[in-house]
């Protein structure tokens, strides 16, 4: 057959595309369970990290099942919403909705020093989304631990938000001031005046990411405010 | 036809790209990914292996099909083969080495646009039998990988003080712990990768006079 004829070219292209599609589709389907499992384990590791529990890929499932005693979903008024799985809530989708319709997952973790509440957060860094989990003590004021991650912040600069020195600084800080107003946590530059119990040092060269993180904390603590107030009283 | 599998000519296909016709330092192809993924050794190694898998298989597949491919759509056929292999590699990485695949993020997908791969398909696989094509693929990917690994090694050592994630510089050396040493933050950024590649080219040319143009 003439290899340069139109018919040959068309048939060749069609057969090739169908074959390739079939191969790729079956590969994607057979690897899908492992991939979702990986994403799930990473999320569990991050949640555990926010209450200062180290885990690795192999034991994350087990530790999570043991430590995270309770998880539920609330709305912006702080009321529990039934019939939702907190672990499956995608913060990205929730953030796209108007505030009144958003759902917020809450995780409870029993530790030696009492019950901790874990709140997922999501915001914008310099190059892309940033997200994390912040845990509070039972007083709903003192930060017990924090874990942040990012999609594509600059290594050595903005990407430092996912390192331990930065996250350690959040421990023991207070999100409510003495008059009971929610002030969240400010991320400061050297020389900037801010009460120490409500602020942590920013990252040199990572100002925009730091500001994005500050904004994320403020916004998301605000969304949880009703719930925090209920638990406080 | 009577050529043996490991004849001198075939071995040259493997060894040439390591030095005389190295894709990065001599042909200056595939620079983008060489700069982007080499901040640490581990992603460099994974990237090198991924490119090797894609290039070797793409070369073999195109070489097997070379007598059937309609000339007018040969570039499209090559791209389809490369793209499907890359997607397969990406899926496998996501399933088995999730943390590395996160680090490499978009760069795995960008293997598709790596000029080394299309260059080899067009220049070699379309006109040669599968076995030499396979060796040519391996050789060129190895030439690419070697440079990636050298750059990754240098950048991780001086930029993070570790090799393959293991701390090499003792903790007590660091200024933070009362020592005298500090990691060079520049090494983590892409410009230093370019400078490192430049130094490799310099060393290579001063040792291999054949490469110096008049």
């Amino acid at each position: 057959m003439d290899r340069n004829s139109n018919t040959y070219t068309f048939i060749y292209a069609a057969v090739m595309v169908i074959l390739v599609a079939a191969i790729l589709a079956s590969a994607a389907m057979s690897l899908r369970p492992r991939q979702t499992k990986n994403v799930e384990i990473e999320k569990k590791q991050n949640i555990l990290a926010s209450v200062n529990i180290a885990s690795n890929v192999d034991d994350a499932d087990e530790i999570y099942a043991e430590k995270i005693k309770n998880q539920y979903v609330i709305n912006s008024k702080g009321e529990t919403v039934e019939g939702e799985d907190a672990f499956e809530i995608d913060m990205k989708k929730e953030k796209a909705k108007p505030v009144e319709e958003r759902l917020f997952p809450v995780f409870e973790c029993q530790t030696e020093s009492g019950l901790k509440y874990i709140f997922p957060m999501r915001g914008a860094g310099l190059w892309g989304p940033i997200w994390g989990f912040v845990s509070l003590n039972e007083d709903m004021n003192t930060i017990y631990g924090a874990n942040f991650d990012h999609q594509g912040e600059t290594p050595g600069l903005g990407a430092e938000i996912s390192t331990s020195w930065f996250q350690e600084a959040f421990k023991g800080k207070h999100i409510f001031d003495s008059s009971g107003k929610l002030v969240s946590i400010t991320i400061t530059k050297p020389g900037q005046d801010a009460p120490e119990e409500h602020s942590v040092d920013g990252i040199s060269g990572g100002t925009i990411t730091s500001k994005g993180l500050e904004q994320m904390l403020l916004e998301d603590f605000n969304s949880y405010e009703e719930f925090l107030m209920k638990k406080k009283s | 036809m009577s050529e043996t599998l490991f004849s001198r000519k075939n071995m040259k296909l493997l060894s040439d790209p390591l030095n005389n016709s190295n894709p990065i330092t001599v042909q200056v192809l595939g620079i983008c990914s060489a700069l982007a993924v080499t901040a640490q050794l581990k992603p460099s190694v994974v990237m090198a292996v991924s490119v090797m898998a894609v290039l070797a298989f793409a070369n073999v597949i195109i070489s097997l099909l070379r007598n059937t491919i309609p000339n007018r759509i040969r570039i499209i056929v090559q791209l389809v083969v490369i793209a499907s292999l890359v997607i397969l590699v990406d899926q496998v990485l996501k399933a088995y080495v999730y943390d590395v695949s996160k680090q490499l993020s978009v760069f795995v997908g960008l293997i598709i646009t790596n000029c080394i791969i299309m260059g080899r398909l067009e220049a070699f696989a379309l006109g040669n039998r599968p076995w030499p094509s396979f060796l040519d693929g391996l050789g060129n990917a190895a030439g690419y990988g070697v440079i990636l690994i050298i750059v990754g090694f240098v950048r991780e050592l001086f930029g993070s003080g570790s090799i393959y994630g293991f701390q090499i510089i003792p903790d007590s050396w660091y200024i933070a712990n009362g020592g005298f040493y500090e990691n060079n933050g520049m090494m983590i950024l892409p410009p230093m990768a370019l400078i490192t590649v430049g130094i490799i080219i310099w060393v290579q040319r001063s040792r291999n006079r054949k490469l110096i143009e008049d």
Side-chain angles (χ1 to χ4, degrees), chain A residues 78-93:
Chain A
E79 297 151 345
T80 316
V81 180
E82 297 297 331
E84 297 280 350
D85 181 357
F87 193 79
E88 297 297 326
I89 298 274
D90 183 352
M91 286 299 276
K92 185 177 173 186
K93 288 195 189 130

Side-chain angles (χ1 to χ4, degrees), chain A residues 3-6 8-9 12-13 16 20 23-24 27-28 31-32 34-35 38-39 42 131 149 154-156, chain B residues 65-73 76-77 80 84 87-88 90-96 98 102 188-189:
Chain A
R3 274 210 282 148
N4 287 320
S5 77
N6 286 345
Y8 181 83
T9 308
Y12 194 94
M16 177 183 69
V20 165
I23 295 170
L24 289 184
L31 292 172
R32 173 80 56 216
R34 279 195 80 98
Q35 294 171 350
N38 283 337
V39 175
E42 193 197 16
W131 59 89
D149 207 351
T154 320
Chain B
L65 297 176
R66 71 187 189 282
N67 293 326
T68 69
I69 298 173
N71 200 34
R72 274 182 296 175
I73 59 165
I76 299 173
V77 173
V80 169
S84 352
I87 294 170
L88 280 180
D90 191 29
Q91 297 285 332
V92 170
L93 289 182
K94 274 199 185 116
Y96 292 96
Y98 183 67
K102 259 188 70 180
I188 298 176
L189 302 174

Side-chain angles (χ1 to χ4, degrees), chain B residues 25-195:
Chain B
T25 60
V26 179
Q27 303 176 38
V28 200
L29 295 174
I31 288 285
C32 170
S33 55
L35 304 189
V37 301
T38 51
Q40 280 166 346
L41 196 54
K42 197 173 179 193
S44 315
V45 171
V46 176
M47 187 70 177
V49 174
S50 310
V51 167
M52 193 175 274
V54 171
L55 185 47
F57 283 115
N59 255 1
V60 170
I61 293 171
I62 291 295
S63 170
L64 286 171
L65 297 176
R66 71 187 189 282
N67 293 326
T68 69
I69 298 173
N71 200 34
R72 274 182 296 175
I73 59 165
R74 67 174 198 284
I75 303 267
I76 299 173
V77 173
Q78 290 166 12
L79 266 182
V80 169
V81 170
I82 299 170
S84 352
L85 286 169
V86 168
I87 294 170
L88 280 180
V89 167
D90 191 29
Q91 297 285 332
V92 170
L93 289 182
K94 274 199 185 116
Y96 292 96
V97 273
Y98 183 67
D99 53 328
V100 182
S101 108
K102 259 188 70 180
Q103 263 180 326
L104 290 171
S105 62
V106 299
F107 295 103
V108 174
L110 287 178
I111 296 177
I112 298 172
T113 61
N114 192 321
C115 348
I116 298 172
I117 298 180
M118 260 197 87
R120 290 331 290 169
L121 294 186
E122 183 73 7
F124 198 90
L126 271 180
N128 287 282
R129 298 168 62 81
W131 175 246
S133 302
F134 179 69
L135 293 178
D136 179 79
L138 278 191
N140 274 281
Y144 168 83
V146 161
I147 302 297
L148 243 66
I149 288 167
I150 297 175
V151 177
F153 180 88
V154 173
R155 286 180 72 191
E156 188 176 347
L157 179 61
F158 293 107
S160 316
S162 58
I163 295 292
Y164 215 81
F166 297 105
Q167 194 68 31
I168 295 292
I169 312 281
D171 266 345
S172 57
W173 283 19
Y174 284 102
I175 291 179
N177 302 328
F180 56 90
Y181 185 82
E182 188 148 24
N183 287 327
N184 186 342
M186 264 287 269
M187 291 307 279
I188 298 176
L189 302 174
M192 276 316 285
L194 190 60
I195 294 174

